[in-house]
Amino acid sequence: MRRAALAAGLALGLAGAGSAGPPAADAAPPTIHAHRGGALDLGVPVRPEDTLEAFRHTAAVHPDAWLELDAVVSRDGVPFVLHDSTLDRTTDCSGAVPDRTAVEIEACRVDVLGVSETLVPAPATPAIRVPRLRAVLAFARETGRSVNLEIKRIPGDPGYVPGSEAFAEAVMADVVAADLPGERLIVQSFDPSNLETARRVLPGVQTSLLTLAVADALGPALAAARGYDWVSPGSVPTAAYMAQARALGLKVVPYTLNTEAQVRAAAAVGVDALITDDVPLARRALGLPAQVAAPVAAVPRGATVGFPRRTRAQVLARGGVAVLLRAPGAARATVTLRRGRTVVARGTVRLARGGERRRLLALTAAGRRLVRAARVPLRLTARVVVGGRASTRAITLR
């Protein structure tokens, strides 16, 4: 029933496929998105899906992988990270999520490892809980990881109210509070109304339209018509699908590819990213090292440096680019922001005793001209130096 409804919804208003073009040549391997945190290792269920335990493991062992996760909302409006609209499959509780309060959901123990058909019982200790969305996004922000977040409100789910934006607004409130850099965040959904809410609450956020395999052919046209950035088919796309998506200016991230044959086929047609439960398997299929050592911390004592999302208009109006420095102790960040060889902004942010501080780095004259004149999104790169260690950060001005 739900699949039929979603497929019918995707068909509304579509006029046909776009023009075709050749796939990109010599493309880099697709980025891997760890589905629900990545619960499998070479087919073996070893972690509970959509939990901090899964996200922490992937962030530590595969720091180049994105964290893909799902958001649901409790009866009292608190977003949690959970795939299903009910608690039955993955916890020792039962019933619909929108019928439970946040306190009730937090009392539930995640009692299985793996995903879908691979589920096996989880050890009783230590107890693993359903995490709040805000906690997972804070972890991603603090560790510099990228997030592909699905808003799970779908017609047919318990508590679904047609036309209501309350569910998506609650999720997006946590997203806004997390203040993840724009290039490290995608919001995805099967229901376009969720993506429209996301764009209204957070203008410029990257959006991705998910489609069921039965409706994959309709996805690129609908995503392009609504101005989304990504399209996410439920199967390995064909070369013709990729040509259409490219002609429409879309990036492509298929789900959920859990065999080496699927991963290689997706890479062969040039997808930008792929979603998998099994990051080690995907890495092996792509010829990448089985494990990526976490990079040396760019900043000491847990300090992090980021750029809160800014549009070009906001940067011009304020006359500078905001920089956010967080650290548990004294820290200093020296930032030089460039586009190509042009210095757009530079300055220093200091913390005397720890905490966090935002500072507006004034635009240079050349930076003002560049930001004012550009007609396309600008990806600006910065060399950030804290405590004698350096790393690269980025910000996109739209």
Side-chain angles (χ1 to χ4, degrees), residues 1-3 5-6 85-86 96 98 152-162 191:
M1 179 72 73
R2 185 186 305 175
R3 287 177 179 267
L6 287 171
S85 59
T86 64
K152 295 297 293 185
R153 174 181 170 272
I154 301 173
D157 277 350
Y160 179 85
V161 180
D191 189 336

Side-chain angles (χ1 to χ4, degrees), residues 77-120:
V78 177
F80 283 84
V81 175
L82 188 72
H83 177 269
D84 297 359
S85 59
T86 64
L87 296 160
D88 303 61
R89 182 176 65 89
T90 58
T91 79
D92 60 356
C93 296
S94 62
V97 172
D99 293 339
R100 297 295 194 101
T101 66
V103 171
E104 291 172 328
I105 293 172
E106 287 180 316
C108 298
R109 183 178 69 85
V110 178
D111 60 356
V112 290
L113 307 177
V115 292
S116 304
E117 69 278 1
T118 70
L119 292 176
V120 298

Side-chain angles (χ1 to χ4, degrees), residues 13-207:
L14 295 180
S19 58
D26 301 323
T31 303
I32 297 172
H33 292 202
H35 189 232
R36 308 180 201 172
L40 306 181
D41 279 356
L42 300 179
V44 179
V46 290
R47 284 172 294 280
E49 66 173 54
D50 268 340
T51 60
L52 275 168
E53 285 71 14
F55 299 128
R56 286 170 180 151
H57 172 86
T58 294
V61 178
H62 307 291
D64 53 349
W66 284 53
L67 306 179
E68 194 272 353
L69 53 119
D70 309 283
V72 297
V73 179
S74 68
R75 187 177 74 198
D76 45 351
V78 177
F80 283 84
V81 175
L82 188 72
H83 177 269
D84 297 359
S85 59
T86 64
L87 296 160
D88 303 61
R89 182 176 65 89
T90 58
T91 79
D92 60 356
C93 296
S94 62
V97 172
D99 293 339
R100 297 295 194 101
T101 66
V103 171
E104 291 172 328
I105 293 172
E106 287 180 316
C108 298
R109 183 178 69 85
V110 178
D111 60 356
V112 290
L113 307 177
V115 292
S116 304
E117 69 278 1
T118 70
L119 292 176
V120 298
T125 56
I128 300 171
R129 304 297 179 185
V130 180
R132 292 194 182 206
L133 175 61
R134 183 162 293 200
V136 175
L137 294 179
F139 168 77
R141 180 191 65 217
E142 291 163 4
T143 57
R145 300 303 178 250
S146 300
V147 171
N148 186 354
L149 169 65
E150 181 181 351
I151 301 178
K152 295 297 293 185
R153 174 181 170 272
I154 301 173
D157 277 350
Y160 179 85
V161 180
S164 173
E165 294 185 272
F167 186 115
E169 286 176 338
V171 172
M172 290 306 299
D174 278 3
V175 172
V176 171
D179 200 21
L180 292 172
E183 67 275 7
R184 285 177 31 215
L185 173 67
I186 298 170
V187 175
Q188 60 177 348
S189 186
F190 287 98
D191 189 336
S193 68
N194 295 328
L195 301 181
E196 298 307 316
T197 300
R199 294 198 299 187
R200 176 178 59 78
V201 175
L202 186 58
V205 67
Q206 295 186 75
T207 46

